Amino acid sequence: MQAEKKAVDGELLPDANGKDPNPGGQTEGSKWQRPRLSRKSLMRCCLVKWIIASTTQQGPDDEISGSDFELSTVRHQPEGLDQLQAQTQFTRKELQSLYRGFKNECPSGLVDEETFKTIYSQFFPQGDATTYAHFLFNAFDIDRNGSIRFEDFVLGLSVLLRGSVTEKLRWAFNLYDINKDGYITKEEMLAIMTSIYDMMGRYTSPSIRDDSPFDHVEKFFQKMDRNRDGVVTIDEFIETCQKDENIMASMQLFENVI
């Protein structure tokens, strides 16, 4: 489906030859080639901008060895490179580059919520990114302990940047499911949508009306809540998104603010 590439994949990364791995619209189950980490391709991702900027400050020749994952100076020591490479769609060199920037910005080995708020306030200075950063942080904070490990960070990025359509939709569902009870309520979806518009929507051209988040949620919920029980399950969410090109296109707004 054309909308899958347009909205959910959020600009697919080039493959090893620098070519678009999905020139005609990749579908679920088609052969997929692992792309390389391209700064040009990834610069739309705020979290990667943050990491790459920090990596650049250290210099391109500052290599990381596997032993760097054993540093005793950090509060949290990440899993080995080989294990993370097996769990993600990143190459060993990509993980080294990401970890270099992560370690430089977060010497403790952990990211807290205030760091997320700082990152998004820098990239969206004209809006209020506080609430959205809070929701996004909670989606990355798998253990629900108020901090994000490097492993959680790269696992999330791997899904968002290189996961399948279904994997990305599952991650998006987790973001909208604020209280993590396995359902999305209209109030939860409205809270996420409003936070995105607060961060960037009011400064788009043409300008967006104040009631736009509410209108979007009403339309989405009518389509997603198929049994009219007032909540959206993950199956309803994925099935509706994959079948409705308008919803998939609208989700590009979410893809553009990761």
Side-chain angles (χ1 to χ4, degrees):
M1 183 170 60
Q2 184 177 1
E4 288 177 336
K5 175 180 184 295
K6 176 182 177 184
V8 177
D9 285 351
E11 298 293 333
L12 292 172
L13 307 182
D15 62 18
N17 297 317
K19 298 179 180 180
D20 186 344
N22 189 10
Q26 180 175 331
T27 58
E28 198 80 17
S30 62
K31 187 174 181 181
W32 180 88
Q33 297 182 11
R34 174 176 294 182
R36 291 180 178 174
L37 186 66
S38 163
R39 291 190 179 187
K40 181 178 179 181
S41 300
L42 293 181
M43 285 305 283
R44 291 184 179 87
C45 175
C46 296
L47 294 175
V48 175
K49 287 182 186 179
W50 168 63
I51 287 294
I52 288 179
S54 180
T55 303
T56 304
Q57 292 172 5
Q58 286 193 352
D61 297 326
D62 184 16
E63 292 296 330
I64 283 186
S65 64
S67 62
D68 278 336
F69 278 69
E70 305 299 329
L71 289 175
S72 60
T73 57
V74 300
R75 283 167 41 204
H76 172 73
Q77 297 180 4
E79 299 169 356
L81 278 173
D82 292 339
Q83 184 173 348
L84 285 177
Q85 185 177 348
Q87 292 175 332
T88 67
Q89 300 291 350
F90 294 125
T91 66
R92 185 180 183 87
K93 287 186 177 180
E94 291 170 349
L95 287 169
Q96 288 175 333
S97 179
L98 289 170
Y99 183 62
R100 184 187 303 121
F102 187 92
K103 187 183 67 170
N104 188 50
E105 290 291 337
C106 307
S108 68
L110 300 168
V111 178
D112 58 23
E113 185 173 327
E114 289 304 314
T115 302
F116 257 54
K117 291 179 180 179
T118 300
I119 294 169
Y120 281 87
S121 65
Q122 290 174 350
F123 288 111
F124 299 94
Q126 293 180 308
D128 183 359
T130 303
T131 305
Y132 177 75
H134 167 74
F135 291 141
L136 189 64
F137 178 87
N138 285 341
F140 272 92
D141 184 13
I142 298 174
D143 297 330
R144 315 295 296 163
N145 60 4
S147 60
I148 298 173
R149 307 173 302 161
F150 178 71
E151 298 96 309
D152 298 336
F153 184 77
V154 294
L155 285 172
L157 283 183
S158 178
V159 170
L160 291 169
L161 297 174
R162 295 175 178 172
S164 66
V165 170
T166 300
E167 288 172 337
K168 290 183 178 184
L169 288 175
R170 286 185 179 276
W171 201 97
F173 181 90
N174 179 57
L175 174 70
Y176 282 103
D177 180 15
I178 296 175
N179 66 359
K180 312 306 177 192
D181 65 351
Y183 302 95
I184 299 175
T185 65
K186 189 177 295 186
E187 291 75 19
E188 286 176 321
M189 186 174 288
L190 180 60
I192 297 292
M193 285 288 187
T194 301
S195 72
I196 293 175
Y197 280 108
D198 285 344
M199 181 172 65
M200 62 176 294
R202 302 179 193 280
Y203 300 94
T204 58
S205 179
S207 60
I208 298 174
R209 304 188 320 273
D210 288 341
D211 58 353
S212 292
F214 180 81
D215 291 342
H216 273 99
V217 170
E218 285 293 321
K219 292 177 182 178
F220 285 179
F221 234 79
Q222 282 185 352
K223 294 179 179 180
M224 291 182 179
D225 185 14
R226 298 195 171 188
N227 61 358
R228 300 294 183 261
D229 62 353
V231 296
V232 173
T233 65
I234 191 167
D235 291 335
E236 287 176 325
F237 183 83
I238 292 176
E239 183 178 356
T240 305
C241 286
Q242 288 181 329
K243 290 183 177 180
D244 193 299
E245 294 187 1
N246 291 327
I247 292 180
M248 294 285 275
S250 297
M251 285 191 67
Q252 186 173 16
L253 177 61
F254 160 71
E255 290 287 329
N256 288 340
V257 293
I258 292 298

